[in-house]
């Protein structure tokens, strides 16, 4: 799998992204602790996690339009530079009277990130050949999991030893490190020609309409593409249903640990830690062996397995002794199909969408993920006490399993038909 890292541009992008995510995790661990210590308010602390939902939902899809207009590498470069500069006001926080600075800073960071994430996802297919996309996306999952493990562990330690300003400074430097990696990249000549041709076509369309009408038309092109192409439509529906379940899972897991596993904060923290270990292991496995199956089949199989293990996590502790240990083992195992789902879904979106539309499709996916997770959290809050964690989490696991069945029944045939149409077109 590491042969992909011999491709210099992808290696620079991957390494820069991993370092940046470590910096993000340092701050994500330190900030909630800082705010709660400062205010003693659960509400003030929870707002930290809700601030990003507005930009994710409202701007994610629209940001994708601009990503398709602009050079992706330059967009990421400028975006990471803005993210670094945006952290500077946090250095002005000194006491309870100035901690309000935190919220507009996080809101600004969330806005900028809406442009960076789809730009990165759309850039990868220009750096890696199609047959290596699953491996590249699996490596990205490995980087994300390694960052979560390293940053999550170091975040508490560094905050306890040196305070918040140190974690802010490290996160700021991590963004500048990404800028340096992007500056070292050199786009392949073929990719540069494709980008130039697509930008010229976009400029011709833009010249015919006022800016606001062009923006609306380009945004509609991305949304309509998802519904016109059956495979993209299936992927979109699967993503929406699964993110709704993830919103429920994020809230109900705490209650499940307390009521079913008879555990506390330590047990909950252990499960989150081993989940990251499982994701890291899964990324390595998929990077090594994921290319042996077609992405559509890989997605269906991995999603079914994920849903099945998810159901075991919820139901086995009701009948088998073992509690946290048993669930912890299953949390590690579920990371393998989870990595396969992520890598294959990402690969299918990259294959099915031409470069000039990738940004807005990934932006739309980003927006629906945030929206459905928020709805899932709200539903868990409204229904959790009435229906209980076991019932709701069984629904969540069943949704994963059934969406995997949907993928197996539909996506393989759709992709085969698409290849046949492409061959006929080339032949004509």
């Amino acid at each position: 799998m590491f042969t992909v890292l011999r491709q210099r541009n992808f290696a620079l992008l991957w390494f820069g992204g991993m370092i940046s995510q470590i910096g993000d995790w340092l701050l994500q661990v330190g900030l909630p602790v800082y705010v709660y210590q400062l205010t003693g308010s659960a509400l003030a602390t929870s707002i930290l996690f809700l601030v990003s939902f507005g930009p994710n939902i409202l701007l994610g899809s629209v940001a994708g339009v601009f990503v398709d207009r602009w050079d992706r590498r330059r967009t990421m470069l400028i975006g990471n530079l803005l993210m670094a500069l945006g952290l500077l006001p946090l250095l002005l926080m000194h006491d309870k009277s100035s901690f309000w600075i935190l919220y507009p800073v996080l809101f600004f960071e969330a806005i900028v990130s809406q442009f960076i994430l789809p730009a990165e996802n759309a850039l990868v297919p220009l750096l890696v050949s199609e047959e290596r996309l699953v491996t590249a996306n699996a490596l990205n999952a490995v980087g994300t999991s390694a960052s979560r493990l390293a940053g999550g562990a170091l975040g508490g330690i560094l905050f306890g030893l040196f305070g918040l300003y140190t974690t802010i400074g490290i996160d700021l430097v991590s963004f500048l490190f990404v800028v340096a990696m992007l500056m070292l990249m050199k786009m392949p000549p073929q990719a540069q020609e494709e980008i130039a041709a697509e930008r010229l076509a976009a400029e011709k369309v833009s010249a015919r309409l006022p800016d606001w009408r062009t923006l609306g038309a380009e945004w509609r092109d991305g949304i309509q593409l998802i519904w016109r192409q059956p495979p993209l439509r299936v992927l979109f529906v699967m993503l929406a249903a699964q993110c709704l379940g993830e919103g429920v899972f994020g809230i109900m897991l705490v209650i499940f640990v307390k009521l079913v596993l008879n555990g506390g904060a330590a047990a909950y923290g252990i499960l989150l830690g081993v989940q990251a270990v499982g994701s890291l292991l899964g990324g390595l496995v998929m990077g090594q062996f994921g290319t042996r199956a077609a992405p559509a089949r890989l997605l269906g199989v991995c999603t079914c397995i994920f849903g099945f293990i998810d159901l075991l996590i919820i139901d086995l502790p009701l009948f088998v002794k073992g509690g946290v240990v048993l669930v912890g083992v299953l949390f590690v195992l579920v990371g393998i199909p989870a990595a396969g789902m992520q890598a294959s879904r990402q690969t299918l979106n990259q294959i099915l969408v031409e470069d000039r539309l990738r940004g807005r499709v990934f932006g739309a996916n980003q927006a629906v993920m945030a929206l459905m997770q928020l709805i899932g959290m709200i539903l868990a809050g409204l229904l959790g006490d009435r229906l209980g964690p076991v019932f709701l989490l069984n629904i969540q696991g069943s949704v994963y399993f059934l969406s995997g069945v949907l993928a197996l029944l539909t996506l393989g045939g759709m992709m085969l038909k698409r290849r046949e149409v492409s061959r006929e077109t080339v032949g004509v």
Side-chain angles (χ1 to χ4, degrees), residues 128-323:
V128 179
S129 60
E130 184 173 313
E131 61 271 14
R132 293 288 184 181
L133 276 177
V134 170
T135 303
N137 289 318
L139 268 172
N140 282 335
V142 169
T144 298
S145 300
S147 302
R148 177 179 173 181
L149 282 172
L154 289 174
I157 296 172
L158 291 176
F159 178 81
L161 291 176
F162 304 108
L164 181 66
Y165 291 159
T166 298
T167 56
I168 293 172
I170 294 175
D171 194 25
L172 190 154
V173 171
S174 74
F175 286 125
L176 297 179
F177 182 82
V178 178
V179 170
M181 294 297 99
L182 291 167
M183 291 180 68
L184 291 173
M185 287 173 57
K186 294 180 180 179
M187 297 299 293
Q190 183 179 356
Q192 290 179 338
E193 292 173 5
E194 292 176 3
I195 293 170
E198 288 169 0
R199 297 294 176 270
L200 181 60
E203 289 172 6
K204 289 180 179 178
V205 173
S206 302
R208 301 188 199 128
L209 297 171
D211 276 349
W212 66 271
R213 288 183 60 190
T214 304
L215 179 63
E218 292 178 1
W219 178 80
R220 286 194 302 273
D221 284 345
I223 301 300
Q224 289 171 357
L225 176 67
I226 293 173
W227 293 108
R228 279 199 312 267
Q229 282 203 36
L232 287 177
R233 188 163 63 240
V234 171
L235 291 173
F236 194 77
V237 170
M238 289 176 63
L239 181 65
Q242 291 168 8
C243 287
L244 180 69
E246 285 301 311
V248 172
F249 185 84
I251 300 298
M252 299 310 296
L253 180 61
V254 180
I255 303 171
F256 175 80
V257 170
K258 177 67 176 176
L259 298 183
V260 179
L261 302 182
N262 298 314
Y268 177 70
I270 290 170
L271 289 179
L272 293 182
V274 298
Q275 185 182 35
V277 173
S279 298
L280 177 60
L281 175 64
L284 292 170
V285 170
M286 288 302 153
Q288 186 67 31
F289 303 107
T291 54
R292 299 186 181 185
R297 178 172 292 276
L298 183 65
L299 176 62
V301 171
C302 287
T303 306
C304 285
I305 295 174
F306 181 94
F308 179 72
I309 298 177
D310 218 6
L311 292 171
L312 291 179
I313 287 172
I314 305 308
D315 295 322
L316 268 185
L318 301 176
F319 307 100
V320 180
K321 293 182 179 181

Side-chain angles (χ1 to χ4, degrees), residues 38-151:
L38 199 62
T39 66
S41 168
L43 176 62
T45 307
S46 65
I47 291 175
L48 290 176
F49 299 98
L50 297 175
V51 154
S52 63
F53 275 102
N56 284 342
I57 295 169
L58 298 176
L59 290 179
S61 185
V62 177
V65 176
F66 292 99
V67 168
D68 286 333
R69 288 183 176 186
W70 302 333
D71 180 278
R72 276 73 180 268
R73 172 177 161 275
R74 190 173 301 152
T75 299
M76 291 184 64
L77 196 153
I78 295 173
N80 278 278
L81 188 58
L82 289 175
M83 295 279 278
L85 295 175
L87 291 177
L88 291 176
L90 294 183
L91 300 176
L92 301 176
M93 291 192 307
H94 297 291
D95 51 33
K96 191 174 180 179
S97 64
S98 59
F99 96 97
W100 62 268
I101 296 172
L102 180 62
Y103 297 126
V105 167
L106 292 183
F107 190 75
F108 172 79
E109 298 285 296
I111 290 175
V112 177
S113 70
Q114 302 313 302
F115 297 87
I116 294 175
L117 294 177
E120 180 178 0
N121 290 330
L123 183 62
V124 170
L126 298 177
L127 307 179
V128 179
S129 60
E130 184 173 313
E131 61 271 14
R132 293 288 184 181
L133 276 177
V134 170
T135 303
N137 289 318
L139 268 172
N140 282 335
V142 169
T144 298
S145 300
S147 302
R148 177 179 173 181
L149 282 172

